[in-house]
């Protein structure tokens, strides 16, 4: 990861993932590089090969939106990835590296999470778990304040076992993490987390090098729970007002289904374990 050449790193990574066949270039003989050559991207985007080379090398960091949109078309980027590319090319002053910023959940949101009858937690910008209720922790013991979703999914076998297709889930999480961070890569928390996972997980390192970008949105999730069995739950992601980068994540089943019954059974077990409070 090169913090000083985010734009160049991104277009190079995406170039290597596009095959000549996908853009209608005939192939003959052995090609030395994966994906497209630089001059092929330049030709298809309608810019000079020298100018494209300067972009990849970081010698020109402020291309026009028209050039970036042309590159997005050639590199077959979707809407989320195109928006990310445009942010990378935006003219902005170089900032000094900041001190770590502590993310604090608003008190009213923490109270809401604690009282919701569904598994719920608050996730920070770098996928740290900032608050979680008891039912979320029962769904996964790693859903507890102080944990990090990326670290657990890539490094904890118990967390991986909860997800029947955990490698695909991990890929989506990395793409969502890159979208969440955007160009704000000078935060020590980001640098520490990416460095740790790149060294500890070959899968993370491989996925991070792809530079995939995907908005973090709601989706159906399959969970293989060791106590209640398979669960198909909807995961909703709601931005927390007044707390930039924080997201309230809530899981809920379709009413009247076996999944709803299994989640109710899990909630009942949590309720039985809750301490009895004396009446005031």
């Amino acid at each position: 990861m090169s913090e000083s050449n985010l734009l160049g790193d991104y277009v190079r990574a995406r170039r290597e993932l596009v095959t000549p066949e996908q853009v209608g270039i005939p192939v003959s003989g052995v090609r030395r590089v994966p994906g497209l050559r630089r001059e092929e991207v330049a030709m298809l985007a309608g810019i000079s090969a020298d100018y494209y080379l300067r972009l990849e090398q970081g010698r020109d960091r402020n291309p026009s939106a028209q050039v970036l949109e042309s590159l997005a078309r050639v590199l077959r980027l979707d809407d989320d990835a195109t928006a990310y590319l445009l942010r990378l090319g935006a003219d902005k002053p170089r900032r000094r590296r900041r001190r770590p910023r502590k993310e604090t959940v608003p008190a009213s949101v923490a109270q809401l999470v604690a009282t919701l009858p569904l598994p719920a937690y608050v996730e920070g910008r770098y996928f740290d778990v900032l608050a979680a209720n008891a039912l979320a922790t029962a769904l996964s013991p790693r859903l507890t304040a102080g944990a990090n979703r990326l670290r657990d999914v890539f490094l904890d076998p118990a967390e991986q076992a909860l997800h029947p297709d955990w490698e695909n889930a991990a890929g989506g999480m990395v793409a969502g993490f890159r979208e969440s961070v955007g160009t704000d890569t000078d935060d020590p928390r980001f640098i520490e987390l990416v460095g740790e996972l790149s060294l500890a997980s070959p899968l993370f390192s491989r996925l991070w090098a792809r530079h995939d970008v995907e908005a973090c949105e709601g989706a159906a999730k399959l969970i293989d729970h060791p106590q209640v069995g398979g669960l198909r739950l909807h995961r909703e992601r709601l931005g927390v007002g007044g707390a930039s980068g924080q997201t309230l994540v809530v899981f809920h089943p379709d009413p009247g289904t076996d999944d709803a019954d299994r989640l109710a059974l899990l909630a009942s077990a949590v309720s039985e374990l809750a301490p009895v409070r004396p009446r005031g």
Side-chain angles (χ1 to χ4, degrees):
M1 179 186 62
S2 172
E3 293 179 54
S4 61
N5 188 23
L6 294 174
L7 176 62
D9 289 347
Y10 185 62
V11 295
R12 182 178 65 253
R14 301 315 299 180
R15 169 173 65 82
E16 293 175 351
L17 295 174
V18 180
T19 65
E21 292 84 358
Q22 287 177 308
V23 294
I25 294 177
V27 177
S28 60
V30 178
R31 294 174 65 92
R32 297 180 180 178
V33 297
L36 297 177
R37 299 186 178 104
R38 292 190 182 96
E39 58 269 24
E40 291 169 339
V41 174
M43 176 190 67
L44 293 169
I47 60 178
S48 72
D50 180 66
Y51 181 61
Y52 179 77
L53 178 61
R54 294 203 306 272
L55 287 177
E56 274 205 7
Q57 292 180 340
R59 292 186 286 128
D60 190 318
R61 304 189 183 196
N62 300 117
S64 68
Q66 182 180 5
V67 166
L68 293 175
E69 288 169 355
S70 294
L71 289 173
R73 172 180 52 80
V74 174
L75 300 175
R76 305 172 67 84
L77 304 184
D78 62 16
D79 290 344
D80 292 334
T82 298
Y84 178 76
L85 177 62
L86 290 169
R87 291 203 305 273
L88 291 181
D91 188 12
K92 55 188 179 298
R94 183 68 178 167
R95 296 171 300 179
R96 297 178 62 187
R97 182 170 294 181
R98 300 167 308 189
R99 294 180 179 179
R101 295 176 300 179
K102 183 178 180 180
E103 294 182 293
T104 303
V105 179
S108 59
V109 176
Q111 183 180 31
L112 172 65
V113 169
T115 56
L116 279 174
L118 295 165
Y121 66 97
V122 176
E123 184 177 86
R125 188 175 192 187
Y126 302 115
F127 291 11
D128 294 308
V129 179
L130 305 178
N133 63 17
L135 189 49
T137 305
L139 195 63
S140 167
R142 274 67 58 187
L143 286 175
T144 184
N148 179 271
R149 296 302 296 145
L150 277 171
R151 183 182 290 115
D152 289 335
V153 165
F154 282 96
L155 303 183
D156 193 319
E159 182 66 24
Q160 295 165 6
L162 289 178
H163 307 281
D165 193 10
W166 80 268
E167 289 198 12
N168 279 340
M173 184 173 288
V174 170
F177 179 64
R178 189 179 287 279
E179 198 279 337
S180 175
V181 173
T183 61
D184 194 15
T185 58
D186 62 342
D187 190 294
R189 176 65 179 139
F190 165 81
I191 296 169
E192 172 194 30
L193 187 59
V194 172
E196 175 191 359
L197 291 173
S198 295
L199 291 174
S201 170
L203 176 60
F204 176 87
S205 183
R206 187 164 66 251
L207 292 171
W208 188 250
R210 288 176 54 90
H211 287 250
D212 289 333
V213 178
E214 182 179 307
C216 295
E217 298 176 344
K221 301 295 291 182
L222 298 176
I223 297 173
D224 188 8
H225 197 275
Q227 275 76 49
V228 298
L231 287 166
R232 184 183 185 277
L233 302 175
H234 299 286
R235 183 194 64 196
E236 311 297 346
R237 301 178 61 87
L238 310 170
V240 176
S244 178
Q246 293 186 23
T247 303
L248 172 62
V249 183
V250 182
F251 293 92
H252 64 100
D254 286 325
T257 61
D258 290 343
D259 302 301
D261 291 341
R262 293 188 184 103
L263 187 61
L265 181 62
L266 186 62
S268 176
V270 169
S271 178
E272 290 176 2
L273 293 174
V276 177
R277 295 182 180 179
R279 295 182 179 180

